[in-house]
Amino acid sequence: LVEKSVSEGEHRYALGIALETRDLSKVNSILDQTGQKELVHYLSDISVDSISSKRFRTEVLELVATRLAKADAAGRGLQDYIRLGEVHTALGRSRELGELLGELSKSSEEKHQLLALQLAFDIAANENEGFVTKLRADLPAAAKSLEPVLTGSKTQEIAAAFLSGANKADVQVVRDLKSAVDSKNSTSHGAVVLANALMQAGTMSDTFIIENQDWIAKSTHWSRFSATASLGVIYRGHPRAAKEKLRPYLHGSMATPNFPTHGGALYGLGLVYATTKDEETIEMLRNAIKDPSHNANESIVHGACLGLGLVALGSGDAGLFEELKNILFTDNAVIGEAAALAIGLVMVGAMDEAAVAELLDYAHETQHEKIIRSIALAFAMSVLGKEEAADVLLEQLGREKDALLRYGAMLGWGLAYVGTASQHALRHLLHVAVSDVSDDVRKAAVIAIGFVLCKEPSQIVKVLPLLSQSFNPHVRYGAALAIGIACAGSVSSEALTILEPLLTDATDFVRQGAYIATAMVLQQASEALEPRVAKLRTQMKELVGKKHEDTLCRLGALLAAGIVDAGGRNSVISLISQSGHIKVGACVGLVLFTHFWYWLPLVHCLSLALAPSALIGVDRHIRVPRGFSFKSAARASLFEYPAPLPPKENKDKETAKTVALSTTGKAAARAKRTGKMEEEPKKEEKKEEEKKEEKKEDPPFTTLKNPARVLERQIRYVQWLDDNRYRPLLRNRKRGIVVLEDSKPNEREEYFFGEAKQSTSAPRAGMEEEPQPPPEFVFDENEHAHLIPKN
């Protein structure tokens, strides 16, 4: 069958048969017979997405890497280099990838130097800190200039500047939510602050917090902890500004010490510096934990542990592990919970057998459910991306008598096989979802399906319809969140159809999950693209204002309001990078968010999974030129921002009474006698009516200027302009950070952000430019003698 397909020119079909039978010799034979480079590229694509066995996938990728590496350097195209870099990344070959970056960086061809920069941005977008650490150690001298890009600091700087500059979040939405909720209900009070944090994530816009300082100050204990940490979400990506903003809330800066506020500030710092491994911040958080004056205060140590885990995420630091383990073994429920989560964050995808055995023994000994559940979640994070290598541990945890450990095992299956669509993992999770005696375990099993199928949103809507109709409300809740995770930002009509009945479910927490999941699916959707987004916004506003609505459902609606407009309406939940790799930080952030069921401040971790939906072009100096523009060949209304809400009218103002003139009464009486009114054309009213009748123009295409928001569904409509000064190095890249070629490098240019040489940004729309100060006035006694009064 393979030979027949090759003879008929159906080479891809032949490759598919060879891969299905796992016959590597046949794969080699097909490639040798055809000699087509494009077939090697095709093989690298399908091996990542279609081969479920990690061992066989590794063998195929090694074959692809060998063939691409053997190709003559002079005959290699840009796509060959890109594929080779992606394969080395998938295989974890830091030394070979470092050599490739060095080869491109020292090349005399400008295109190769630009390609090295593009590859560096792609590697940073994967958020695999452990691999980046190894790669930096293996970088040759020629590629050392790429280190700031590889660490992600440049990516974060560019994304943060875009989010703050293009912020379209409507503060009036949060103001309306605040006025609708019962301020005496602490859960609703805190949820409004959480919604504002998600809505303004990364934008530096704290207008709502400044306007309502007294209202927010009413929060106490852990609500205050969470409210302070929300500043870390708002200032995420802006480290300098964040430190200045959080400094007044840190220990020693407050006139009257407030421990929950201090702890929340430390947690907020962790959110700002998440995945950066910033040494100064790590040392600061370590000192906060070691300070003897903090030992008796749970909120400070709790916040410091969470912050430390976030900053050192994926580092695998053995010293940090020992410190956090010692804190865990103090057997304090609140502190131990944070310490266990921090261990999971530090050891993401890297925990060894000895550490697992030690933590498992302690989980059997302790009586605190908080600690056991957090240790279980740490186990789940430790097997992220391990696939078959994690099966032994996960099966062992799945046989535990304690349901809390089985809960962690289910999430572990989701993270170990994240994005693989593995039939082995799906069979196991579906079996547990309908058979386990614990509702929590069944719920976690269904949620984990969302992680396994996050690359295949079209498949999850076929797998979960029956589970969404289960008699068990915990299973229905899990099905809702799983759909939200897998279909985030997709505006999938099938997903919304499944979720719609759950919005009116009889169980309050099922409705909560349905609102959150619907908001995830409808992120950044316009009414023209999906009319149901307007219905969702109306439902959320009405539900929040209902006095007798269940608190859990109201919490879900408030969080949904923040999620649907996340990041200033410019961010979307994204677990997959532009090059198709799993984003480690995003997966960890999202799995911690699902844990908010047990600990509400973990809602803030959703910010780790948010990524700008933008196309940002950068030149060779990593600046963003304003001169680059491109075309979106779709109706403008499909991808436009929602219109801002009008401000509420002040009802306290007395309306002016209309005074009736004497002539008005006479004219009315005369008209009554004659049977007709005097015709008095009103030009202003006619103009207003004409304006209403005029339809809003909806141009068939839009020219977008760099940087610009580009949604997932909009990518197919993006077209490059041939007469533009800048051209994308890779023409098929239409989202994320795109490296540009400059056809006129000697001409002057303005930049959106980048080096200090750039021009200052223009004033925001709707604001007048601030006038220049008057010239300095110097008084001269002789020149201005006439101004001196005479006695």
Side-chain angles (χ1 to χ4, degrees):
L1 188 59
V2 170
E3 291 174 359
K4 182 182 178 182
S5 300
V6 172
S7 63
E8 292 177 355
E10 298 289 344
H11 303 130
R12 294 190 176 191
Y13 184 61
L15 263 184
I17 297 171
L19 291 174
E20 197 67 33
T21 57
R22 299 192 180 182
D23 190 340
L24 207 58
S25 60
K26 284 286 183 187
V27 173
N28 254 320
S29 174
I30 294 167
L31 295 176
D32 288 337
Q33 289 181 52
T34 59
Q36 294 180 9
K37 192 188 298 181
E38 291 76 12
L39 210 57
V40 179
H41 294 174
Y42 173 72
L43 181 60
S44 70
D45 288 340
I46 62 172
S47 60
V48 173
D49 296 330
S50 304
I51 301 176
S52 57
S53 169
K54 187 172 184 178
R55 182 179 299 175
F56 184 60
R57 188 190 319 131
T58 300
E59 292 176 358
V60 174
L61 288 174
E62 285 174 349
L63 170 65
V64 171
T66 302
R67 286 186 169 270
L68 289 174
K70 282 182 179 178
D72 184 16
R76 281 186 196 163
L78 297 181
Q79 288 298 330
D80 296 326
Y81 281 110
I82 284 289
R83 303 284 177 167
L84 188 55
E86 289 175 353
V87 170
H88 285 327
T89 303
L91 292 172
R93 293 177 166 182
S94 58
R95 183 176 59 81
E96 290 84 349
L97 185 56
E99 291 173 356
L100 179 65
L101 291 173
E103 177 189 338
L104 292 169
S105 298
K106 67 183 181 183
S107 171
S108 58
E109 292 188 37
E110 185 184 9
K111 282 195 174 185
H112 287 172
Q113 296 170 13
L114 293 175
L115 189 61
L117 183 60
Q118 183 69 70
L119 267 173
F121 274 118
D122 292 348
I123 294 164
N126 300 332
E127 299 178 1
N128 190 336
E129 302 303 321
F131 178 70
V132 169
T133 301
K134 293 178 184 177
L135 177 59
R136 289 175 64 191
D138 292 331
L139 273 182
K144 285 293 182 182
S145 60
L146 297 174
E147 281 200 72
V149 179
L150 290 169
T151 58
S153 60
K154 285 293 181 184
T155 303
Q156 192 176 58
E157 178 188 340
I158 291 170
F162 168 73
L163 290 175
S164 58
N167 182 16
K168 297 291 183 181
D170 191 354
V171 183
Q172 190 60 41
V173 173
V174 193
R175 289 175 184 147
D176 290 350
L177 294 175
K178 170 188 170 288
S179 60
V181 300
D182 180 8
S183 59
K184 294 179 182 178
N185 187 315
S186 62
T187 303
S188 300
H189 183 283
V192 173
V193 180
L194 291 171
N196 175 68
L198 293 174
M199 194 179 292
Q200 303 288 358
T203 65
M204 287 202 305
S205 176
D206 53 5
T207 305
F208 177 77
I209 293 179
I210 293 171
E211 288 178 350
N212 300 278
Q213 284 183 348
D214 295 337
W215 181 77
I216 294 174
K218 293 178 182 178
S219 57
T220 58
H221 304 298
W222 292 109
S223 294
R224 179 165 289 194
F225 173 92
S226 181
T228 310
S230 70
L231 289 170
V233 178
I234 295 171
Y235 281 84
R236 178 164 162 71
H238 306 272
R240 292 181 183 176
K243 276 196 172 180
E244 288 300 316
K245 194 69 180 178
L246 290 169
R247 195 184 304 280
Y249 307 107
L250 295 173
H251 185 65
S253 301
M254 293 180 287
T256 305
N258 188 296
F259 297 123
T261 301
H262 183 189
L266 295 173
Y267 178 28
L269 276 179
L271 291 165
V272 171
Y273 285 90
T275 74
T276 62
K277 301 188 186 69
D278 184 71
E279 294 180 2
E280 183 183 344
T281 306
I282 289 176
E283 191 61 29
M284 178 183 176
L285 294 167
R286 270 178 158 168
N287 292 336
I289 294 172
K290 294 175 182 177
D291 191 334
S293 64
H294 297 163
N295 292 344
N297 192 276
E298 296 176 340
S299 56
I300 292 179
V301 181
H302 184 97
C305 285
L306 287 178
L308 188 58
L310 288 167
V311 179
L313 192 151
S315 65
D317 191 314
L320 275 179
F321 171 76
E322 289 297 325
E323 288 182 30
L324 291 167
K325 186 181 70 175
N326 293 334
I327 296 168
L328 173 65
F329 288 172
T330 59
D331 209 39
N332 179 297
V334 175
I335 294 175
E337 177 184 35
L341 291 175
I343 287 173
L345 289 166
V346 172
M347 307 302 288
V348 164
M351 198 177 293
D352 56 30
E353 293 181 7
V356 168
E358 196 171 5
L359 291 177
L360 189 56
D361 288 341
Y362 179 68
H364 291 149
E365 293 173 7
T366 185
Q367 300 299 312
H368 297 297
E369 286 191 4
K370 282 178 174 287
I371 293 178
I372 299 171
R373 188 180 288 109
S374 296
I375 289 175
L377 195 55
F379 287 151
M381 289 188 277
S382 72
V383 298
L384 194 150
K386 293 295 184 183
E387 299 185 35
E388 295 100 324
D391 283 2
V392 175
L393 172 61
L394 295 177
E395 287 172 1
Q396 178 187 350
L397 292 174
R399 292 190 297 268
E400 288 283 343
K401 292 181 180 179
D402 193 334
L404 299 176
L405 291 173
R406 298 203 304 276
Y407 165 87
M410 295 307 105
L411 292 176
W413 282 101
L415 291 181
Y417 288 90
V418 60
T420 62
S422 165
Q423 295 300 311
H424 167 58
L426 287 173
R427 277 194 299 270
H428 187 88
L429 290 169
L430 287 169
H431 172 70
V432 174
V434 296
S435 63
D436 200 278
V437 296
S438 168
D439 287 335
D440 277 0
V441 176
R442 296 175 71 173
K443 177 187 69 181
V446 182
I447 290 173
I449 293 173
F451 285 96
V452 176
L453 292 175
C454 67
K455 276 189 177 181
E456 301 286 344
S458 60
Q459 294 300 315
I460 199 165
V461 296
K462 299 176 183 177
V463 174
L464 292 184
L466 288 177
L467 290 178
S468 69
Q469 300 168 22
S470 169
F471 70 92
N472 189 316
H474 291 80
V475 173
R476 298 200 299 273
Y477 174 89
L481 276 193
I483 290 172
I485 290 167
C487 302
S490 67
V491 200
S492 167
S493 179
E494 295 87 351
L496 293 172
T497 302
I498 297 172
L499 292 170
E500 203 162 7
L502 299 179
L503 291 171
T504 55
D505 196 276
T507 308
D508 54 357
F509 62 79
V510 175
R511 297 199 301 276
Q512 177 197 84
Y515 273 105
I516 291 171
T518 305
M520 288 178 171
V521 175
L522 287 174
Q523 277 186 310
Q524 300 181 325
S526 65
E527 289 185 36
L529 187 62
E530 177 51 72
R532 280 179 277 194
V533 71
K535 183 180 176 182
L536 174 69
R537 292 181 186 277
T538 304
Q539 285 179 328
M540 289 188 300
K541 189 175 179 180
E542 290 175 353
L543 188 146
V544 168
K546 287 182 180 178
K547 290 184 179 180
H548 303 293
E549 185 58 69
D550 295 298
T551 300
L552 287 180
C553 185
R554 186 183 288 112
L555 170 63
L558 288 167
L559 294 180
I563 291 169
V564 76
D565 289 336
R569 294 175 171 167
N570 289 305
S571 293
V572 68
I573 295 169
S574 173
L575 301 184
I576 313 297
S577 69
Q578 291 299 311
S579 54
H581 294 279
I582 296 298
K583 295 163 68 173
V584 175
C587 291
V588 169
L590 195 52
V591 80
L592 286 173
F593 169 76
T594 64
H595 204 64
F596 83 87
W597 178 286
Y598 309 100
W599 188 223
L600 193 56
L602 291 178
V603 166
H604 294 311
C605 291
L606 184 63
S607 61
L608 274 68
L610 295 175
S613 299
L615 193 160
I616 306 175
V618 298
D619 64 10
R620 63 179 301 163
H621 302 293
I622 318 180
R623 299 172 302 189
V624 180
R626 289 185 179 274
F628 173 54
S629 57
F630 53 95
K631 178 181 175 181
S632 173
R635 290 187 293 115
S637 61
L638 287 177
F639 306 109
E640 66 182 359
Y641 290 100
L645 296 177
K648 270 194 171 183
E649 294 181 4
N650 193 346
K651 296 180 180 179
D652 297 334
K653 290 183 179 180
E654 294 183 2
T655 55
K657 294 180 179 179
T658 306
V659 179
L661 300 175
S662 59
T663 54
T664 306
K666 293 177 181 178
R670 186 165 56 252
K672 193 175 181 181
R673 289 195 302 269
T674 58
K676 60 179 180 179
M677 292 290 290
E678 292 181 7
E679 294 180 4
E680 296 181 4
K682 299 180 180 180
K683 294 181 181 179
E684 293 181 0
E685 290 182 4
K686 281 188 176 182
K687 286 181 180 179
E688 289 177 4
E689 289 176 3
E690 288 173 2
K691 285 181 181 179
K692 289 179 182 178
E693 290 175 1
E694 284 180 5
K695 292 183 179 180
K696 184 181 177 183
E697 289 185 10
D698 192 7
F701 68 90
T702 312
T703 301
L704 302 174
K705 292 187 176 181
N706 190 34
R709 185 178 80 154
V710 174
L711 310 189
E712 184 68 32
R713 284 198 173 190
Q714 194 175 0
I715 293 175
R716 71 186 80 169
Y717 301 109
V718 171
Q719 298 177 0
W720 307 124
L721 301 177
D722 294 331
D723 58 346
N724 197 265
R725 168 180 169 178
Y726 298 95
R727 295 185 300 273
L729 181 68
L730 303 176
R731 305 278 292 184
N732 60 339
R733 287 290 176 91
K734 296 182 178 180
R735 204 174 180 206
I737 296 180
V738 177
V739 176
L740 305 173
E741 291 182 275
D742 187 357
S743 60
K744 301 174 183 177
N746 297 323
E747 290 189 8
R748 193 174 179 180
E749 179 60 288
E750 291 185 356
Y751 301 98
F752 184 71
F753 50 79
E755 295 182 355
K757 295 178 183 178
Q758 67 184 18
S759 63
T760 55
S761 59
R764 287 183 293 173
M767 296 180 65
E768 293 183 2
E769 190 172 357
E770 189 173 337
Q772 295 296 321
E776 186 178 356
F777 178 76
V778 180
F779 182 80
D780 188 328
E781 188 173 342
N782 296 323
E783 185 180 350
H784 302 96
H786 62 284
L787 297 176
I788 303 173
K790 296 180 181 179
N791 294 332

